[in-house]
Amino acid sequence: MANQNGLPMKDLEIFGVIKNGKFTIPEREVNALKNGGITDVVELTDLKGKDIFIDKLPARLSIVRGEDGNPALRIDPVYREPNQHPNLNDAERNQLVRKELANIKKSYVDKEGNIQTEIIEYDQRTKQFLSYNPRDIKAPQSVNGQELDPQQKKKYKEGETVLLADGTAFQLSPSAPKGLRSNKSGLVLSVLLDGGLSYLLITGVQKVLGKESQEEKAYSEGYLQAIKEVQKQVERRIARNPKDRDAIRDLNNIKEEYSKISADFSLPKGVRDEFDINAIKRLNSIDTEEGKNPRKRFEQDNGFDRDL
């Protein structure tokens, strides 16, 4: 089966993530894969290979670039004890396991004799170490409406905490469910995709390690304005294709954020009124096929009627 939505469909079928054309993992985990993140722990079953059979394998899944440059499925199984990493000494290993450090930057010489850099962090869920090359990371153009300068982009790629003028702190974290950690529960990232600028609303972001921020529930002016840009973009997607389930899901996320903002009485009334949920176009309500057929929507939400 050809790759769709950037997913290696053949790999997903081989490892039972897709069976009979349907996903076997929850929709939120499918969305994590589509968005380039890592799933929470899921259970793979009946894995068969040459001289091997695994009844159940708890693991986290992600999509990486294979040796041929195409998307490939990565499986990170859950270990009983923290595993080892060849480029970490005992002290560094313990610092990561104990959450004393978010990550460690290391240099090494590759097979061709070139000096490479890798960022290593510890995944508490699978009890193993994850690493990545900063060169493979594309930094966002802006976060919460604030443009990132070259130094901030470099810090982001290398897993360092980036601090914005409004007090927002965030860092890249491959092991985090949303791929980021921050002192704010929500972020809006603008990224270059296919030559154009796209806005991504990310909510439920985990805290930066070691940070106990009083700003966590505060909404910056940049974030509030960026939310509106996300809304406009998503509504354009739905206007082009009312059956775009990903866009409808994104609009629902925006509505949830609007509800939180309008209910935050620490904000001026004028600001809260701007985020009245009724101001959002009802493009995913009775005007769409989903709204007219809630049973079909339920089936799609549970992976029973998904277009692959």
Side-chain angles (χ1 to χ4, degrees):
M1 187 179 296
N3 294 339
Q4 298 184 27
N5 297 314
L7 298 180
M9 309 304 282
K10 185 176 180 180
D11 287 358
L12 296 175
E13 286 184 333
I14 291 174
F15 291 98
V17 181
I18 292 177
K19 290 183 178 179
N20 300 321
K22 312 298 179 185
F23 283 98
T24 61
I25 61 176
E27 185 182 19
R28 64 179 179 276
E29 310 302 351
V30 176
N31 292 331
L33 293 177
K34 286 183 177 180
N35 294 329
I38 185 171
T39 69
D40 207 332
V41 176
V42 298
E43 192 170 81
L44 304 179
T45 59
D46 300 332
L47 301 181
K48 300 176 183 178
K50 184 178 180 180
D51 301 325
I52 188 172
F53 174 77
I54 299 177
D55 182 29
K56 295 180 181 180
L57 178 66
R60 299 185 75 185
L61 311 178
S62 57
I63 306 303
V64 298
R65 185 182 301 171
E67 294 182 358
D68 59 359
N70 293 319
L73 179 65
R74 169 171 171 156
I75 299 175
D76 291 301
V78 176
Y79 288 80
R80 293 183 179 180
E81 298 292 337
N83 71 344
Q84 301 293 327
H85 192 286
N87 294 338
L88 294 176
N89 59 41
D90 288 342
E92 293 169 334
R93 180 176 179 274
N94 290 335
Q95 284 179 306
L96 291 176
V97 172
R98 294 169 183 167
K99 296 185 180 181
E100 295 172 5
L101 293 175
N103 55 54
I104 290 178
K105 179 180 177 180
K106 303 285 285 188
S107 296
Y108 67 97
V109 179
D110 64 18
K111 295 178 181 179
E112 285 73 36
N114 300 314
I115 296 178
Q116 299 284 358
T117 299
E118 67 176 342
I119 310 301
I120 307 169
E121 68 173 66
Y122 179 68
D123 180 7
Q124 299 285 339
R125 290 174 175 80
T126 61
K127 295 184 173 62
Q128 67 173 301
F129 295 93
L130 304 178
S131 60
Y132 68 88
N133 188 327
R135 293 182 181 179
D136 297 332
I137 301 299
K138 182 180 291 186
Q141 297 298 110
S142 68
V143 175
N144 290 356
Q146 298 188 51
E147 294 285 335
L148 301 189
D149 60 35
Q151 184 61 27
Q152 289 174 318
K153 290 182 179 180
K154 182 176 183 293
K155 283 187 173 183
Y156 176 84
K157 291 181 178 182
E158 296 183 351
E160 296 184 34
T161 300
V162 179
L163 183 64
L164 300 180
D166 64 1
T168 299
F170 61 94
Q171 70 179 153
L172 181 67
S173 176
S175 68
K178 302 300 176 70
L180 292 166
R181 293 182 182 274
S182 178
N183 63 347
K184 302 293 180 75
S185 61
L187 297 170
V188 175
L189 278 61
S190 66
V191 296
L192 287 173
L193 295 175
D194 299 325
L197 197 63
S198 293
Y199 294 90
L200 304 176
L201 170 62
I202 304 176
T203 57
V205 183
Q206 287 189 346
K207 286 185 178 180
V208 177
L209 290 183
K211 298 284 184 180
E212 292 296 330
S213 172
Q214 298 179 352
E215 297 289 330
E216 183 180 353
K217 295 183 180 179
Y219 296 103
S220 69
E221 181 178 350
Y223 179 71
L224 296 176
Q225 293 304 314
I227 286 268
K228 294 179 180 179
E229 293 300 325
V230 179
Q231 176 195 340
K232 294 176 184 176
Q233 176 182 270
V234 171
E235 288 182 341
R236 286 196 296 268
R237 288 164 57 195
I238 295 177
R240 289 195 298 266
N241 179 11
K243 296 182 180 180
D244 186 338
R245 287 197 45 74
D246 289 336
I248 293 172
R249 183 198 71 232
D250 290 344
L251 188 61
N252 283 333
N253 290 339
I254 295 169
K255 283 187 174 184
E256 289 181 12
E257 204 66 6
Y258 263 53
S259 295
K260 293 176 184 177
I261 294 169
S262 62
D264 188 342
F265 287 93
S266 68
L267 295 171
K269 184 178 185 300
V271 173
R272 286 185 279 119
D273 289 344
E274 285 184 38
F275 289 87
D276 182 350
I277 194 171
N278 293 319
I280 298 182
K281 296 177 182 178
R282 301 180 67 233
L283 292 176
N284 62 332
S285 60
I286 59 174
D287 301 324
T288 67
E289 182 179 348
E290 281 194 319
K292 296 174 183 177
N293 192 340
R295 176 176 175 78
K296 181 176 182 180
R297 180 180 61 194
F298 172 81
E299 291 172 347
Q300 289 179 326
D301 285 342
N302 287 275
F304 299 133
D305 191 24
R306 175 176 292 278
D307 241 344
L308 299 178

